[in-house]
Amino acid sequence: VYVVDYLSGSVIPISTTTNKAAPAIPVGGNPFAIAITPDGKTAYVTNNGGASGDTVTPINIATKTAEPAVTVGTGPWGVAITPDGKTAYIVNNVSGTVTPISTATNIPGSPIAVGRQPENIVITPDGKTAYVTNSDADTVTAINVAANIAGAAIKVGDVPYAVVIAPDGKTAYASSAADTVTPISVASNTPGTPVPVPRDPIVLAITPDGKTVYAVNSNVSTV
């Protein structure tokens, strides 16, 4: 298990056999999110601030060492990796963009403009579409992964934050500070009827069979 330590600027590996932490791996300033390639060889960490912020640090998992940082947009936040492991997508919260990074070369591609203050990203199981929540635009942006082109904004509730995809790849779910979770048809990129939840659903998770979505309601301490 790899734990991002925001205040110390490091990532801490924990052995699942012994439940003991290995030495911390220094990364950039204010590391925020982490994603691991499907082959388990590399972790990508977004560095959100400080002198070494606005970068992504690849970590070699075999050696538990950081590789040279990759410069991306301002305020990197969420990160997701395509199912084929070829591309890491970095959400740049301040820039309002998403930066694709080739995992073979760790070279960033051209930033993709999305909405204001994007935060989180998820990719469909078939690897064709990435969905990004734009917290200051009250929208979700669908990105065509093959072309790295953003589609039209999808209107959801106020201040969308979390987003998950059903295992069958047919529906995305976006939570919002409007106390709702909005289903989005992946085939048409149209929103469905918002589902009311108690308060500020900041985290979403979906069961492997796709039958149930769980929302963490941050201000009322419920799920």
Side-chain angles (χ1 to χ4, degrees):
V1 178
Y2 286 81
V3 181
V4 174
D5 191 336
Y6 182 85
L7 294 181
S8 72
S10 65
V11 170
I12 301 169
I14 298 174
S15 166
T16 57
T17 302
T18 63
N19 284 334
K20 291 182 179 179
I25 304 165
V27 288
N30 301 139
F32 191 82
I34 187 170
I36 297 174
T37 53
D39 63 9
K41 292 182 178 180
T42 310
Y44 286 83
V45 182
T46 58
N47 304 308
N48 190 257
S52 55
D54 300 339
T55 62
V56 171
T57 299
I59 293 174
N60 182 314
I61 288 179
T63 61
K64 294 184 175 62
T65 56
E67 298 180 354
V70 181
T71 300
V72 290
T74 306
W77 198 283
V79 53
I81 297 171
T82 53
D84 63 9
K86 292 182 178 180
T87 309
Y89 283 88
I90 312 302
V91 176
N92 305 304
N93 180 262
V94 178
S95 299
T97 61
V98 172
T99 300
I101 297 174
S102 165
T103 58
T105 63
N106 285 334
I107 295 174
S110 299
I112 305 161
V114 289
R116 294 187 306 274
Q117 292 186 1
E119 295 190 349
N120 289 301
I121 184 169
V122 68
I123 300 172
T124 53
D126 62 10
K128 292 182 178 180
T129 310
Y131 287 89
V132 182
T133 55
N134 306 305
S135 64
D136 195 41
D138 304 338
T139 61
V140 170
T141 297
I143 295 174
N144 180 312
V145 169
N148 280 336
I149 295 174
I154 304 164
K155 185 68 176 178
V156 292
D158 295 344
V159 194
Y161 186 78
V163 58
V164 295
I165 302 283
D168 63 9
K170 294 181 178 180
T171 309
Y173 294 87
S175 68
S176 83
D179 304 339
T180 59
V181 175
T182 300
I184 298 170
S185 166
V186 170
S188 63
N189 284 331
T190 54
T193 302
V195 180
V197 293
R199 182 93 183 266
D200 288 343
I202 196 168
V203 175
L204 297 177
I206 191 164
T207 53
D209 62 10
K211 292 182 178 180
T212 308
V213 176
Y214 286 88
V216 175
N217 305 304
S218 63
N219 281 335
V220 289
S221 303
T222 64
V223 172

